[in-house]
Amino acid sequence: MSYLTLLEVGWKLVSTGFSLVVLYILSTTIYNLTLHPLSHFPGPLLWRSTRIPYMRSMWSGASHTNHHRLHQRYGPVVRIAPNELSFADTAAWHDIFANRGGREALPKSAVWHGAQSGHADSLLNCLSRDGHAHMRRKMEPGFTERAVAGQEAILQGYAGLLVNRLREVLMAGKGDGERKEAVVDVAKWLTFVSLDIIGDLAFGEGFQCLQRSEMNEWMELLFSGVKAQVLIATLRYYMWAAWALEHMLPRSLKEGAERHWKIVAEKVDKRLQQATPRPDFIELWQKDGKGRDGLTRGEIDSNAFVMSFAGTETVATTLTGVMHQLVRSRREFALLKEEVRTRFEKEDEMSLQELKGLPYLNAVIWEGFRTRYALPNGTTRITPPEGSIICGKRIPGNTYVSLCAQALFLDPTRFHDPDHFHPERWLPEAIKDPGSPFYDDDRNAVQPFSVGPRSCIGRPLALAEARLILARLIWAFDVEAADTKAGALVWEEQPLFGLIDKQSFEVNLVARE
Ligand code: HEM
């Protein structure tokens, strides 16, 4: 065969291949818009026909604001990709995430979850229903109200350290004895304290963030790893992309991930060598000699690893969000200050038990969840092959479904004045008084810890931390808006990669008079 004939054959092959690809894309697009079982669900044309707008939205970090906008335009159910629906309806919490009337909660999908190869499952990643239930039973002793009460000294220690470190910053700040003040990045300090607490509970020692006023290098790598994992997960919607990813990931990335695991194993080793019992997770996840079953060594490593992001960023973002609201809401801030400062004369009187009973403090935290939620796009599940009923609608099998918390929590048909910070909507007065503008609010819509068998195991700890840290800060300092660029943070503009990618938020910290 001559060189020219070879070229011709080659060209024909390429053009046929190209035509086939174009044909495939065209026919799938037409199928997605017409014959696909989800074709009657509303959504923008491009989102219904290909997954590209969804991926773009995820990769740009704007998925929460985009999905929220789609719900405002199309209603409580939106088709956000050919085989995916987003819900913004209170009933969806139970229909997607809870076991109901003999029907089990919808499972997690292998796109978003599953163990890392060569490592044991963690509670968060485990895909098997039975495997998860078994592991959850073994881990629960580490997270009960009783366990948190036993961990109180650890929590108080770090909350006190946070206040003392901020007092030092204040002393070095502007002003004289009458009024000392300093601009501080609260997002950073709240991350430090939540990291140190979880470091202590998961590995037996804090990460020394508060002491050093900086993030531990390992944690920084871990957070960027989590972000990368979210972006990589979106590629798994395409089988070929998942395969290519598995085979084409640079060796350095794989080595980096293994280094993480090695550090985890070393930290767990060190903790296991401590002979004195301490009320931390590892102690409570192990067999206890009194019949309590425990995690395997591999499971301890995987779960300690997961705690370092699942239990830190969530708390830090919630508290930063609450601060962001409080500095803009003078009346609400004054009410909170009054409650905390009149109830306690001394800092050490602020026990976890006492704080649980403070109505306004708790209302502020719940309004923080509603307006500044750390997971505004929720998490994804997949319907079983036989399909499922969600919000009264029959959803075909193998459909990805999620709940857009931001759209639900800020829905004007469910909340009075939804875009503004009104802690009083959570007070017993508003709940009981038909004259209150918040009486008819759909408070059940706000489920920051999700519901059902895979709801947040760390809920009691998270609430205890949030109450304690917030109360200790409010007791010790006055906080005002800072006239800096980071002080003018627009909350909604922060990108989302699974969790809010928290930016700096500066406030003016003033010594309490
Ligand atoms: C304000 C703070 C927190 C919020 C808003 C939050 C929210 C959530 C949500 C929505 C889920 C369900 C995830 C899903 O459906 O896939 C979850 C699960 C989980 N959370 Fe939290 N969380 C917080 C704090 C914590 C803390 C402090 C810990 C532990 C120290 C923790 C550990 C976990 C774990 C291990 C799971 C997986 C549970 C399972 O699959 O059985 N979280 N969290």
Side-chain angles (χ1 to χ4, degrees):
M1 220 186 277
S2 75
Y3 180 67
L4 259 180
T5 331
L6 260 179
L7 258 184
E8 263 172 37
V9 173
W11 172 244
K12 268 194 185 143
L13 276 177
V14 170
S15 58
T16 316
F18 182 73
S19 311
L20 283 175
V21 170
V22 170
L23 195 69
Y24 171 76
I25 293 176
L26 261 178
S27 54
T28 352
T29 306
I30 293 169
Y31 169 77
N32 286 340
L33 291 174
T34 53
L35 298 173
H36 193 287
L38 296 183
S39 57
H40 58 290
F41 284 99
L45 187 83
L46 263 180
W47 294 62
R48 285 185 284 133
S49 48
T50 85
R51 194 171 264 284
I52 293 169
Y54 171 93
M55 305 270 277
R56 249 190 82 203
S57 185
M58 285 293 192
W59 281 61
S60 66
S63 61
H64 52 324
T65 40
N66 288 342
H67 292 185
H68 185 181
R69 231 175 280 129
L70 293 181
H71 278 292
Q72 285 172 326
R73 173 141 187 233
Y74 293 96
V77 194
V78 183
R79 191 173 172 203
I80 52 170
N83 60 346
E84 183 152 351
L85 296 173
S86 171
F87 289 82
D89 190 321
T90 307
W93 279 119
H94 288 276
D95 293 349
I96 297 177
F97 299 99
N99 295 329
R100 285 188 83 188
R103 197 227 61 184
E104 286 172 330
L106 302 189
K108 289 191 168 180
S109 88
V111 164
W112 289 99
H113 296 95
Q116 284 193 21
S117 74
H119 298 282
D121 266 332
S122 72
L123 191 69
L124 187 73
N125 286 327
C126 184
L127 287 172
S128 137
R129 201 183 307 269
D130 292 344
H132 169 265
H134 192 54
M135 195 184 300
R136 182 134 178 162
R137 267 197 302 279
K138 293 197 242 174
M139 289 175 66
E140 227 126 44
F143 295 98
T144 55
E145 292 283 353
R146 194 161 154 230
V148 175
Q151 292 153 354
E152 171 150 10
I154 295 176
L155 302 194
Q156 293 282 3
Y158 287 106
L161 184 56
L162 169 71
V163 170
N164 288 341
R165 292 288 291 112
L166 287 175
R167 283 197 173 116
E168 286 166 27
V169 173
L170 205 58
M171 284 304 115
K174 283 194 300 188
D176 49 25
E178 287 287 294
R179 182 183 154 105
K180 284 296 268 181
E181 59 182 88
V183 170
V184 295
D185 178 357
V186 270
K188 188 177 84 176
W189 285 95
L190 291 167
T191 307
F192 291 165
V193 68
S194 54
L195 275 170
D196 275 347
I197 290 175
I198 295 299
D200 199 309
L201 292 174
F203 297 106
E205 58 182 17
F207 292 119
Q208 305 270 309
C209 300
L210 286 168
Q211 292 286 12
R212 296 193 191 135
S213 316
E214 63 182 21
M215 286 268 278
N216 170 318
E217 193 194 347
W218 175 62
M219 293 311 301
E220 273 190 22
L221 279 171
L222 181 113
F223 285 143
S224 39
V226 169
K227 199 162 144 183
Q229 279 301 323
V230 170
L231 300 181
I232 289 171
T234 57
L235 291 177
R236 292 202 203 100
Y237 279 106
Y238 296 102
M239 263 166 36
W240 57 266
W243 181 88
L245 201 72
E246 185 65 24
H247 291 82
M248 286 161 54
L249 267 187
R251 182 191 280 264
S252 61
L253 264 185
K254 288 186 181 164
E255 284 171 358
E258 281 319 307
R259 244 186 65 67
H260 271 298
W261 283 102
K262 201 161 161 269
I263 297 175
V264 170
E266 283 164 8
K267 283 181 175 293
V268 173
D269 276 343
K270 196 167 161 204
R271 162 64 188 85
L272 288 172
Q273 278 157 19
Q274 290 182 26
T276 338
R278 58 195 315 279
D280 59 18
F281 299 152
I282 292 191
E283 181 84 22
L284 298 162
W285 292 343
Q286 293 184 79
K287 281 194 175 57
D288 68 352
K290 293 184 206 151
R292 191 180 75 206
D293 197 4
L295 297 184
T296 63
R297 173 57 206 267
E299 288 170 344
I300 291 183
D301 287 8
S302 295
N303 281 300
F305 188 23
V306 157
M307 296 305 150
S308 10
F309 59 87
T312 54
E313 270 303 278
T314 43
V315 174
T317 302
T318 304
L319 285 171
T320 308
V322 167
M323 279 299 189
H324 190 260
Q325 292 286 31
L326 284 173
V327 294
R328 278 159 185 73
S329 321
R330 297 315 302 172
R331 180 182 152 271
E332 288 69 19
F333 205 155
L335 287 171
L336 177 63
K337 223 156 61 173
E338 193 189 320
E339 182 180 75
V340 171
R341 293 186 187 175
T342 51
R343 182 70 70 95
F344 305 105
E345 270 186 23
K346 290 196 247 121
E347 282 171 302
D348 58 12
E349 288 172 1
M350 283 183 258
S351 69
L352 297 183
Q353 190 56 34
E354 287 284 331
L355 292 171
K356 214 189 255 183
L358 259 52
Y360 205 74
L361 174 70
N362 284 284
V364 162
I365 292 171
W366 278 88
E367 187 66 348
F369 283 136
R370 192 185 68 80
T371 54
R372 296 286 185 258
Y373 188 39
L375 297 124
N377 245 354
T379 53
T380 308
R381 298 292 193 266
I382 188 163
T383 55
E386 67 278 14
S388 192
I389 305 278
I390 304 177
C391 301
K393 296 185 166 47
R394 172 153 291 286
I395 311 297
N398 300 317
T399 303
Y400 295 96
V401 289
S402 55
L403 191 154
C404 181
Q406 179 165 319
L408 182 60
F409 295 2
L410 301 179
D411 182 349
T413 67
R414 292 169 196 279
F415 295 98
H416 172 71
D417 197 15
D419 296 329
H420 291 105
F421 186 69
H422 294 294
E424 50 269 53
R425 75 174 88 240
W426 299 95
L427 294 177
E429 295 84 300
I431 298 171
K432 286 188 218 130
D433 174 14
S436 160
F438 307 110
Y439 179 71
D440 288 323
D441 278 2
D442 182 8
R443 279 165 284 264
N444 282 332
V446 183
Q447 299 291 349
F449 300 101
S450 192
V451 299
R454 304 211 65 149
S455 61
C456 181
I457 197 170
R459 177 183 171 132
L461 175 63
L463 286 172
E465 270 185 73
R467 291 184 199 111
L468 178 65
I469 295 170
L470 187 58
R472 295 284 300 250
L473 287 177
I474 300 298
W475 195 91
F477 306 105
D478 283 325
V479 187
E480 300 165 350
D483 191 14
T484 60
K485 190 166 170 255
L489 170 76
V490 180
W491 189 265
E492 298 74 14
E493 286 177 3
Q494 297 178 107
L496 176 79
F497 298 104
L499 291 165
I500 297 268
D501 189 7
K502 218 164 13 63
Q503 310 292 300
S504 292
F505 174 52
E506 287 178 345
V507 298
N508 201 29
L509 205 65
V510 185
R512 177 184 167 176
E513 279 172 21

